[in-house]
């Protein structure tokens, strides 16, 4: 199968949950060390503004908006479906939609206010960053599904490096634009990682059953 059973997945999920809970609880408690970490990173990223850096930050945050995340996944799913990877196409859509539900629940449990100078366009609670959460899922699907389809390890590595750099740019852009605290972006990455691992578990458990019992995907590759 495209997504195989992983004996280490329980460990990965457990680790992700521990890291996610640690950051989430620290945010709720408004801990001093969290403020210290946030202030250092904010000062570093916002030290210089304007010019090419300003344009790059705005472009990164636009390309990784929650609406664009849905668009990227639908494009990926469209081509996967066309090449008879129908079940993994459905899994990709399930992962991004389920992830949005997870992020919404966490936001309303933690209820962290946005930074005081945030744009009026940025509404809702601050933790976790929806931009980072969504684009982490998109990039994870690219790594899990698309990268292995590419011939040549150099091309695979190139795509992984480019997408990882883009993820870092999105995280930096949300801080630069005062939309989030640094720990909002870090927490988003931890929670998204955990959700992707859980979603992969669903694929391994139900993909074959879906192929056997639902006619539209019976000729799908696994």
């Amino acid at each position: 199968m495209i997504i195989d059973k992983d004996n280490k997945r329980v460990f990965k999920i457990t680790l992700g949950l521990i890291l996610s809970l640690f950051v989430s609880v620290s945010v709720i408690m408004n801990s001093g060390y969290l403020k210290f970490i946030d202030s250092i990173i904010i000062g570093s990223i916002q030290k210089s503004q304007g010019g090419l850096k300003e344009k790059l930050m705005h472009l990164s945050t636009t390309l990784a908006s929650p609406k664009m995340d849905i668009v990227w996944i639908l494009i990926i799913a469209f081509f996967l479906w066309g090449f008879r990877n129908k079940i993994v196409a459905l899994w990709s859509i399930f992962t991004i939609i389920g992830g949005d539900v997870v992020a919404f629940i966490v936001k309303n449990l933690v209820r962290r206010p946005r930074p005081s100078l945030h744009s009026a366009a940025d509404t809702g609670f601050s933790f976790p960053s929806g931009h980072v959460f969504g684009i982490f899922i998109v990039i994870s699907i690219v790594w899990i599904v698309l990268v292995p389809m590419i011939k040549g390890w150099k091309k695979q590595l190139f795509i992984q490096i480019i997408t990882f750099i883009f993820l870092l740019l999105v995280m930096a852009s949300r801080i630069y634009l005062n939309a989030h605290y640094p720990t909002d972006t870090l927490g988003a990455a931890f929670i998204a990682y955990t959700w992707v691992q859980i979603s992969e578990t669903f694929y391994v458990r139900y993909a074959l059953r879906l192929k056997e019992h639902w006619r539209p995907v019976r000729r799908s590759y696994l």
Side-chain angles (χ1 to χ4, degrees), residues 1 87 94 199-213 222:
M1 290 196 298
I87 295 177
F94 163 78
S199 184
E200 284 186 286
T201 302
F202 283 124
Y203 182 93
V204 173
R205 180 171 296 182
Y206 297 110
L208 183 58
R209 298 183 194 179
L210 188 63
K211 182 176 181 178
E212 291 174 347
H213 295 98
L222 288 178

PDB file of all heavy atoms in Angstrom, residues 1 87 94 199-213 222:
ATOM      1  N   MET A   1       0.833  -1.206   0.000  1.00  0.00           N
ATOM      2  CA  MET A   1       0.000   0.000   0.000  1.00  0.00           C
ATOM      3  C   MET A   1       0.867   1.254   0.000  1.00  0.00           C
ATOM      4  O   MET A   1       2.028   1.217   0.422  1.00  0.00           O
ATOM      5  CB  MET A   1      -0.904   0.006   1.240  1.00  0.00           C
ATOM      6  CG  MET A   1      -2.005  -1.051   1.205  1.00  0.00           C
ATOM      7  SD  MET A   1      -3.343  -0.775   2.411  1.00  0.00           S
ATOM      8  CE  MET A   1      -2.453  -0.869   3.941  1.00  0.00           C
ATOM      9  N   ILE A  87      -8.385   5.863  -3.524  1.00  0.00           N
ATOM     10  CA  ILE A  87      -8.542   5.765  -2.071  1.00  0.00           C
ATOM     11  C   ILE A  87      -7.630   6.744  -1.360  1.00  0.00           C
ATOM     12  O   ILE A  87      -8.040   7.404  -0.400  1.00  0.00           O
ATOM     13  CB  ILE A  87      -8.282   4.319  -1.601  1.00  0.00           C
ATOM     14  CG1 ILE A  87      -9.351   3.397  -2.172  1.00  0.00           C
ATOM     15  CG2 ILE A  87      -8.267   4.246  -0.067  1.00  0.00           C
ATOM     16  CD1 ILE A  87      -9.172   1.936  -1.832  1.00  0.00           C
ATOM     17  N   PHE A  94      -9.972  13.648   3.413  1.00  0.00           N
ATOM     18  CA  PHE A  94     -10.359  13.353   4.791  1.00  0.00           C
ATOM     19  C   PHE A  94      -9.359  13.949   5.779  1.00  0.00           C
ATOM     20  O   PHE A  94      -9.751  14.502   6.819  1.00  0.00           O
ATOM     21  CB  PHE A  94     -10.439  11.830   4.988  1.00  0.00           C
ATOM     22  CG  PHE A  94     -10.437  11.408   6.429  1.00  0.00           C
ATOM     23  CD1 PHE A  94     -11.586  11.509   7.197  1.00  0.00           C
ATOM     24  CD2 PHE A  94      -9.277  10.910   7.016  1.00  0.00           C
ATOM     25  CE1 PHE A  94     -11.582  11.117   8.529  1.00  0.00           C
ATOM     26  CE2 PHE A  94      -9.266  10.521   8.349  1.00  0.00           C
ATOM     27  CZ  PHE A  94     -10.422  10.621   9.114  1.00  0.00           C
ATOM     28  N   SER A 199      -4.329   9.848  11.151  1.00  0.00           N
ATOM     29  CA  SER A 199      -5.018   9.676   9.881  1.00  0.00           C
ATOM     30  C   SER A 199      -4.414   8.535   9.072  1.00  0.00           C
ATOM     31  O   SER A 199      -5.140   7.781   8.398  1.00  0.00           O
ATOM     32  CB  SER A 199      -4.969  10.983   9.079  1.00  0.00           C
ATOM     33  OG  SER A 199      -5.717  10.862   7.878  1.00  0.00           O
ATOM     34  N   GLU A 200      -3.108   8.383   9.120  1.00  0.00           N
ATOM     35  CA  GLU A 200      -2.455   7.257   8.442  1.00  0.00           C
ATOM     36  C   GLU A 200      -2.922   5.922   9.024  1.00  0.00           C
ATOM     37  O   GLU A 200      -3.074   4.932   8.301  1.00  0.00           O
ATOM     38  CB  GLU A 200      -0.935   7.376   8.573  1.00  0.00           C
ATOM     39  CG  GLU A 200      -0.319   8.417   7.662  1.00  0.00           C
ATOM     40  CD  GLU A 200       1.202   8.404   7.721  1.00  0.00           C
ATOM     41  OE1 GLU A 200       1.760   8.877   8.739  1.00  0.00           O
ATOM     42  OE2 GLU A 200       1.821   7.898   6.766  1.00  0.00           O
ATOM     43  N   THR A 201      -3.159   5.906  10.315  1.00  0.00           N
ATOM     44  CA  THR A 201      -3.675   4.702  10.959  1.00  0.00           C
ATOM     45  C   THR A 201      -5.039   4.323  10.400  1.00  0.00           C
ATOM     46  O   THR A 201      -5.321   3.141  10.150  1.00  0.00           O
ATOM     47  CB  THR A 201      -3.782   4.909  12.489  1.00  0.00           C
ATOM     48  OG1 THR A 201      -2.503   5.254  13.009  1.00  0.00           O
ATOM     49  CG2 THR A 201      -4.278   3.647  13.172  1.00  0.00           C
ATOM     50  N   PHE A 202      -5.893   5.326  10.173  1.00  0.00           N
ATOM     51  CA  PHE A 202      -7.196   5.083   9.570  1.00  0.00           C
ATOM     52  C   PHE A 202      -7.043   4.485   8.168  1.00  0.00           C
ATOM     53  O   PHE A 202      -7.784   3.575   7.787  1.00  0.00           O
ATOM     54  CB  PHE A 202      -8.005   6.384   9.490  1.00  0.00           C
ATOM     55  CG  PHE A 202      -8.601   6.820  10.798  1.00  0.00           C
ATOM     56  CD1 PHE A 202      -8.337   8.077  11.323  1.00  0.00           C
ATOM     57  CD2 PHE A 202      -9.424   5.979  11.516  1.00  0.00           C
ATOM     58  CE1 PHE A 202      -8.888   8.481  12.531  1.00  0.00           C
ATOM     59  CE2 PHE A 202      -9.989   6.366  12.727  1.00  0.00           C
ATOM     60  CZ  PHE A 202      -9.709   7.625  13.232  1.00  0.00           C
ATOM     61  N   TYR A 203      -6.084   5.011   7.399  1.00  0.00           N
ATOM     62  CA  TYR A 203      -5.869   4.505   6.037  1.00  0.00           C
ATOM     63  C   TYR A 203      -5.482   3.034   6.068  1.00  0.00           C
ATOM     64  O   TYR A 203      -6.043   2.217   5.336  1.00  0.00           O
ATOM     65  CB  TYR A 203      -4.781   5.320   5.331  1.00  0.00           C
ATOM     66  CG  TYR A 203      -4.552   4.877   3.902  1.00  0.00           C
ATOM     67  CD1 TYR A 203      -5.227   5.482   2.850  1.00  0.00           C
ATOM     68  CD2 TYR A 203      -3.663   3.845   3.598  1.00  0.00           C
ATOM     69  CE1 TYR A 203      -5.038   5.079   1.547  1.00  0.00           C
ATOM     70  CE2 TYR A 203      -3.470   3.424   2.291  1.00  0.00           C
ATOM     71  CZ  TYR A 203      -4.162   4.044   1.274  1.00  0.00           C
ATOM     72  OH  TYR A 203      -3.979   3.619  -0.027  1.00  0.00           O
ATOM     73  N   VAL A 204      -4.504   2.705   6.893  1.00  0.00           N
ATOM     74  CA  VAL A 204      -4.033   1.321   6.981  1.00  0.00           C
ATOM     75  C   VAL A 204      -5.163   0.381   7.392  1.00  0.00           C
ATOM     76  O   VAL A 204      -5.289  -0.735   6.879  1.00  0.00           O
ATOM     77  CB  VAL A 204      -2.853   1.220   7.978  1.00  0.00           C
ATOM     78  CG1 VAL A 204      -2.471  -0.241   8.209  1.00  0.00           C
ATOM     79  CG2 VAL A 204      -1.651   2.004   7.461  1.00  0.00           C
ATOM     80  N   ARG A 205      -6.012   0.844   8.285  1.00  0.00           N
ATOM     81  CA  ARG A 205      -7.069  -0.013   8.817  1.00  0.00           C
ATOM     82  C   ARG A 205      -8.248  -0.166   7.867  1.00  0.00           C
ATOM     83  O   ARG A 205      -8.862  -1.256   7.792  1.00  0.00           O
ATOM     84  CB  ARG A 205      -7.550   0.556  10.155  1.00  0.00           C
ATOM     85  CG  ARG A 205      -8.654  -0.263  10.822  1.00  0.00           C
ATOM     86  CD  ARG A 205      -8.928   0.225  12.220  1.00  0.00           C
ATOM     87  NE  ARG A 205      -7.770   0.056  13.098  1.00  0.00           N
ATOM     88  CZ  ARG A 205      -7.766   0.373  14.394  1.00  0.00           C
ATOM     89  NH1 ARG A 205      -8.848   0.889  14.943  1.00  0.00           N
ATOM     90  NH2 ARG A 205      -6.677   0.193  15.108  1.00  0.00           N
ATOM     91  N   TYR A 206      -8.595   0.890   7.121  1.00  0.00           N
ATOM     92  CA  TYR A 206      -9.842   0.871   6.364  1.00  0.00           C
ATOM     93  C   TYR A 206      -9.694   0.907   4.843  1.00  0.00           C
ATOM     94  O   TYR A 206     -10.691   0.713   4.136  1.00  0.00           O
ATOM     95  CB  TYR A 206     -10.720   2.051   6.799  1.00  0.00           C
ATOM     96  CG  TYR A 206     -11.137   1.973   8.243  1.00  0.00           C
ATOM     97  CD1 TYR A 206     -10.623   2.864   9.183  1.00  0.00           C
ATOM     98  CD2 TYR A 206     -12.041   1.001   8.678  1.00  0.00           C
ATOM     99  CE1 TYR A 206     -11.002   2.799  10.514  1.00  0.00           C
ATOM    100  CE2 TYR A 206     -12.432   0.925  10.005  1.00  0.00           C
ATOM    101  CZ  TYR A 206     -11.904   1.824  10.922  1.00  0.00           C
ATOM    102  OH  TYR A 206     -12.269   1.748  12.229  1.00  0.00           O
ATOM    103  N   ALA A 207      -8.510   1.146   4.301  1.00  0.00           N
ATOM    104  CA  ALA A 207      -8.351   1.283   2.847  1.00  0.00           C
ATOM    105  C   ALA A 207      -8.785   0.021   2.104  1.00  0.00           C
ATOM    106  O   ALA A 207      -9.531   0.086   1.113  1.00  0.00           O
ATOM    107  CB  ALA A 207      -6.904   1.631   2.511  1.00  0.00           C
ATOM    108  N   LEU A 208      -8.314  -1.133   2.557  1.00  0.00           N
ATOM    109  CA  LEU A 208      -8.659  -2.390   1.887  1.00  0.00           C
ATOM    110  C   LEU A 208     -10.154  -2.679   1.987  1.00  0.00           C
ATOM    111  O   LEU A 208     -10.773  -3.124   1.013  1.00  0.00           O
ATOM    112  CB  LEU A 208      -7.853  -3.545   2.490  1.00  0.00           C
ATOM    113  CG  LEU A 208      -8.068  -4.919   1.839  1.00  0.00           C
ATOM    114  CD1 LEU A 208      -7.739  -4.859   0.350  1.00  0.00           C
ATOM    115  CD2 LEU A 208      -7.211  -5.977   2.534  1.00  0.00           C
ATOM    116  N   ARG A 209     -10.749  -2.414   3.138  1.00  0.00           N
ATOM    117  CA  ARG A 209     -12.187  -2.635   3.309  1.00  0.00           C
ATOM    118  C   ARG A 209     -12.979  -1.753   2.358  1.00  0.00           C
ATOM    119  O   ARG A 209     -13.978  -2.185   1.759  1.00  0.00           O
ATOM    120  CB  ARG A 209     -12.602  -2.346   4.747  1.00  0.00           C
ATOM    121  CG  ARG A 209     -11.953  -3.241   5.792  1.00  0.00           C
ATOM    122  CD  ARG A 209     -12.495  -2.896   7.168  1.00  0.00           C
ATOM    123  NE  ARG A 209     -11.677  -3.477   8.232  1.00  0.00           N
ATOM    124  CZ  ARG A 209     -11.904  -3.312   9.515  1.00  0.00           C
ATOM    125  NH1 ARG A 209     -12.952  -2.576   9.911  1.00  0.00           N
ATOM    126  NH2 ARG A 209     -11.117  -3.862  10.426  1.00  0.00           N
ATOM    127  N   LEU A 210     -12.542  -0.496   2.214  1.00  0.00           N
ATOM    128  CA  LEU A 210     -13.232   0.435   1.321  1.00  0.00           C
ATOM    129  C   LEU A 210     -13.157  -0.060  -0.118  1.00  0.00           C
ATOM    130  O   LEU A 210     -14.149  -0.010  -0.855  1.00  0.00           O
ATOM    131  CB  LEU A 210     -12.602   1.824   1.443  1.00  0.00           C
ATOM    132  CG  LEU A 210     -13.311   2.982   0.725  1.00  0.00           C
ATOM    133  CD1 LEU A 210     -14.704   3.193   1.298  1.00  0.00           C
ATOM    134  CD2 LEU A 210     -12.485   4.257   0.840  1.00  0.00           C
ATOM    135  N   LYS A 211     -11.993  -0.560  -0.513  1.00  0.00           N
ATOM    136  CA  LYS A 211     -11.827  -1.060  -1.875  1.00  0.00           C
ATOM    137  C   LYS A 211     -12.715  -2.262  -2.143  1.00  0.00           C
ATOM    138  O   LYS A 211     -13.270  -2.415  -3.238  1.00  0.00           O
ATOM    139  CB  LYS A 211     -10.361  -1.440  -2.110  1.00  0.00           C
ATOM    140  CG  LYS A 211     -10.081  -1.939  -3.530  1.00  0.00           C
ATOM    141  CD  LYS A 211      -8.609  -2.209  -3.750  1.00  0.00           C
ATOM    142  CE  LYS A 211      -8.369  -2.684  -5.173  1.00  0.00           C
ATOM    143  NZ  LYS A 211      -6.926  -2.912  -5.445  1.00  0.00           N
ATOM    144  N   GLU A 212     -12.895  -3.102  -1.162  1.00  0.00           N
ATOM    145  CA  GLU A 212     -13.682  -4.325  -1.331  1.00  0.00           C
ATOM    146  C   GLU A 212     -15.182  -4.064  -1.340  1.00  0.00           C
ATOM    147  O   GLU A 212     -15.938  -4.801  -1.986  1.00  0.00           O
ATOM    148  CB  GLU A 212     -13.347  -5.314  -0.212  1.00  0.00           C
ATOM    149  CG  GLU A 212     -11.938  -5.894  -0.305  1.00  0.00           C
ATOM    150  CD  GLU A 212     -11.595  -6.762   0.897  1.00  0.00           C
ATOM    151  OE1 GLU A 212     -12.355  -6.697   1.899  1.00  0.00           O
ATOM    152  OE2 GLU A 212     -10.585  -7.485   0.834  1.00  0.00           O
ATOM    153  N   HIS A 213     -15.629  -3.009  -0.666  1.00  0.00           N
ATOM    154  CA  HIS A 213     -17.065  -2.826  -0.458  1.00  0.00           C
ATOM    155  C   HIS A 213     -17.668  -1.609  -1.158  1.00  0.00           C
ATOM    156  O   HIS A 213     -18.899  -1.438  -1.138  1.00  0.00           O
ATOM    157  CB  HIS A 213     -17.366  -2.738   1.047  1.00  0.00           C
ATOM    158  CG  HIS A 213     -17.063  -3.998   1.784  1.00  0.00           C
ATOM    159  ND1 HIS A 213     -15.886  -4.191   2.473  1.00  0.00           N
ATOM    160  CD2 HIS A 213     -17.780  -5.140   1.925  1.00  0.00           C
ATOM    161  CE1 HIS A 213     -15.898  -5.399   3.022  1.00  0.00           C
ATOM    162  NE2 HIS A 213     -17.029  -5.992   2.710  1.00  0.00           N
ATOM    163  N   LEU A 222      -3.803   0.689  -4.048  1.00  0.00           N
ATOM    164  CA  LEU A 222      -3.674   0.898  -2.610  1.00  0.00           C
ATOM    165  C   LEU A 222      -2.279   1.410  -2.264  1.00  0.00           C
ATOM    166  O   LEU A 222      -2.080   1.936  -1.200  1.00  0.00           O
ATOM    167  CB  LEU A 222      -3.953  -0.403  -1.849  1.00  0.00           C
ATOM    168  CG  LEU A 222      -5.421  -0.857  -1.811  1.00  0.00           C
ATOM    169  CD1 LEU A 222      -5.521  -2.164  -1.062  1.00  0.00           C
ATOM    170  CD2 LEU A 222      -6.287   0.186  -1.106  1.00  0.00           C
TER     171      LEU A 222
END
